[in-house]
Amino acid sequence: MSEETIFSKIIRQEIPTPLLYQDELVTAFRDVAPRVDSHILIVPNKHIATINDVTSEDELTLGRMITVAKKLAKEEGIDEKGYRLIINCNNDGGQEVYHIHMHLLGGQPLGAMLSL
C-alpha cells in the first residue's frame, strides 16, 4: 500500500520543483530548507516509509541512490573535498518525512558526525 507524501507529489511534479535528476528508480532535488551550501535530497520513486521497510527487492533502488549521489556530488563540485550521505530512520533518528530519502550534504566543512 502506497502512502501519499510531499515527495510523491514532487516525483510526479504535482508540486513543481526543479529536478536535478530523475530516472525510473529515483528522483533528486534541492532541499527547500538547506542546512549547508549544497543540500540535495535523493528519494526512491517507490514509496518506502522507513529503512525498516526496505526489502531485498529494493536493493537496486538503494544502490541507485548512492550512484546518483556520487554523480550529483561531482556536478556540485564537492566530490573532491568531501560530502556526507545521511538517511534518517523514524522519530529518534530525525526522520521528518516518512518516505525514505538520502541527504547529500557538502560544500563546506561538516564537522563532527553528531552534536548532541
Side-chain angles (χ1 to χ4, degrees), residues 30-41 103-105 108:
R30 294 196 187 279
D31 193 297
V32 296
R35 305 276 175 101
V36 295
D37 293 342
S38 185
H39 189 166
I40 296 169
L41 300 179
H103 297 261
L104 166 59
L105 305 164
Q108 65 191 68

Side-chain angles (χ1 to χ4, degrees), residues 53-60:
D53 300 304
V54 169
T55 69
S56 60
E57 295 173 1
D58 301 316
E59 290 177 9
L60 181 60

Side-chain angles (χ1 to χ4, degrees), residues 78-113:
I78 62 174
D79 58 325
E80 294 297 322
K81 284 195 155 195
Y83 55 93
R84 185 172 292 160
L85 302 176
I86 299 173
I87 300 176
N88 300 318
C89 183
N90 283 326
N91 191 53
D92 282 359
Q95 187 172 2
E96 295 176 2
V97 177
Y98 282 80
H99 184 142
I100 65 169
H101 51 288
M102 177 183 290
H103 297 261
L104 166 59
L105 305 164
Q108 65 191 68
L110 298 176
M113 179 77 88

Side-chain angles (χ1 to χ4, degrees), residues 9-78:
K9 292 177 181 180
I10 290 171
I11 291 163
R12 294 190 306 265
Q13 287 291 279
E14 292 171 9
I15 297 175
T17 303
L19 301 180
L20 300 175
Y21 181 90
Q22 186 170 50
D23 65 20
E24 70 281 0
L25 296 176
V26 304
T27 299
F29 48 91
R30 294 196 187 279
D31 193 297
V32 296
R35 305 276 175 101
V36 295
D37 293 342
S38 185
H39 189 166
I40 296 169
L41 300 179
I42 304 164
V43 302
N45 296 340
K46 170 188 170 185
H47 178 261
I48 306 168
T50 75
I51 287 293
N52 294 334
D53 300 304
V54 169
T55 69
S56 60
E57 295 173 1
D58 301 316
E59 290 177 9
L60 181 60
T61 298
L62 296 179
R64 181 70 54 84
M65 290 171 71
I66 292 170
T67 57
V68 168
K70 174 188 166 190
K71 173 188 182 321
L72 293 173
K74 184 168 183 64
E75 290 175 5
E76 291 283 297
I78 62 174

